[in-house]
Amino acid sequence: MNKTLKKKLDKLSERDLFMNEDVRLTYIENVVNKLKRGIFPTSNLNRLKTIINRHNRIKEMKKDLKNRG
């Protein structure tokens, strides 16, 4: 792998919030806490959905980059 490909993969990894375990657990914990209090957390679930969709797009971009390089 050349340097530019590694840099692109690193930048994509930095942008991927879902790969960060602390962020992932925090969002899940917030959803669970609100459900325990009897509140349906639509905004938290929408944000989590957005993060997961972005994670899937980044994963596909990484896969394409690895196949090219």
Side-chain angles (χ1 to χ4, degrees):
M1 241 189 286
N2 59 12
K3 288 182 181 181
T4 56
L5 183 60
K6 283 185 181 181
K7 284 183 183 179
K8 287 181 182 180
L9 288 173
D10 288 340
K11 281 186 180 181
L12 286 174
S13 295
E14 289 174 11
R15 290 177 47 199
D16 193 4
L17 287 177
F18 199 72
M19 290 298 292
N20 186 343
E21 187 176 359
D22 293 333
V23 172
R24 186 172 57 234
L25 292 178
T26 301
Y27 273 105
I28 293 170
E29 185 178 306
N30 286 339
V31 169
V32 170
N33 285 337
K34 284 194 175 187
L35 286 172
K36 283 181 182 178
R37 290 186 287 174
I39 302 170
F40 191 75
T42 55
S43 61
N44 291 42
L45 291 174
N46 288 337
R47 179 66 179 145
L48 195 58
K49 182 180 175 183
T50 303
I51 289 173
I52 290 171
N53 287 339
R54 187 180 301 145
H55 167 72
N56 289 335
R57 283 195 318 260
I58 289 173
K59 198 165 65 169
E60 287 296 319
M61 291 167 66
K62 282 183 177 181
K63 185 178 175 183
D64 291 342
L65 279 175
K66 287 180 182 178
N67 286 340
R68 277 196 295 168

